Amino acid sequence: MVAPQLLSSATDEWATPQDLFDRLDACFHFTLDPCATEENHKAPKFYTREQDGLKQDWGGEIIWCNPPYGREIGRWIQKCAEHHGIAVMLLPARTDTRWWHEFIANNPNATIRFIKGRLKFGGAKNPAPFPSAIVIFINTEGE
């Protein structure tokens, strides 16, 4: 049975599973988590909702981004896709959405790794009701 809170829009925050992050961090060595809280940030430098990571300069940073999964998700994906350097995102695998096609599917700088099964976010007992993907943007244009 799926937990009721996973089916509601009560929150758009899905805490990154630590083991998944640790495996990715071992490869990328993230320096910035631009959409985090004091309690769940994954990189040494982070921005909270109040600081609005979308308005901050990410220059020179290696990005880990598990964005809020609500209406603003496309803005986070666009910023990661346009980031000069490396940005790695944990996303719902919503391949039918406009943002997926606009910023990921046809982007030569994007690598998609679909996650087998369903993730358990933030210590939840039950898995998420949606599949997930890791999207890696590497933009070295101009170097």
Side-chain angles (χ1 to χ4, degrees):
M1 176 168 192
V2 175
Q5 64 272 25
L6 294 179
L7 296 175
S8 77
S9 58
T11 182
D12 60 358
E13 295 180 5
W14 296 78
T16 303
Q18 190 64 48
D19 61 328
L20 173 66
F21 175 80
D22 290 344
R23 289 192 311 268
L24 291 165
D25 190 44
C27 294
F28 294 101
H29 309 286
F30 300 111
T31 61
L32 175 64
D33 184 345
C35 46
T37 67
E38 183 69 42
E39 298 77 31
N40 74 10
H41 67 90
K42 299 295 182 194
K45 183 175 177 181
F46 64 96
Y47 298 122
T48 64
R49 186 179 297 254
E50 294 74 30
Q51 294 168 312
D52 192 354
L54 287 170
K55 293 181 180 176
Q56 305 298 326
D57 178 13
W58 297 359
E61 303 288 353
I62 302 170
I63 307 301
W64 165 254
C65 186
N66 177 5
Y69 287 7
R71 297 182 191 273
E72 298 293 313
I73 194 169
R75 293 180 63 213
W76 289 100
I77 297 166
Q78 180 177 6
K79 183 147 181 161
C80 284
E82 294 172 353
H83 174 66
H84 184 78
I86 297 172
V88 179
M89 302 189 81
L90 172 57
L91 297 170
R94 295 186 180 137
T95 61
D96 60 334
T97 60
R98 182 186 56 77
W99 52 259
W100 186 275
H101 287 272
E102 188 171 342
F103 302 116
I104 299 169
N106 299 310
N107 185 336
N109 297 325
T111 300
I112 305 162
R113 295 181 184 167
F114 291 101
I115 295 174
K116 182 178 180 180
R118 305 277 171 108
L119 290 177
K120 290 183 180 178
F121 286 88
K125 290 182 182 179
N126 297 307
F130 51 83
S132 299
I134 299 296
V135 177
I136 304 162
F137 295 103
I138 299 177
N139 182 357
T140 57
E141 198 171 292
E143 285 189 2

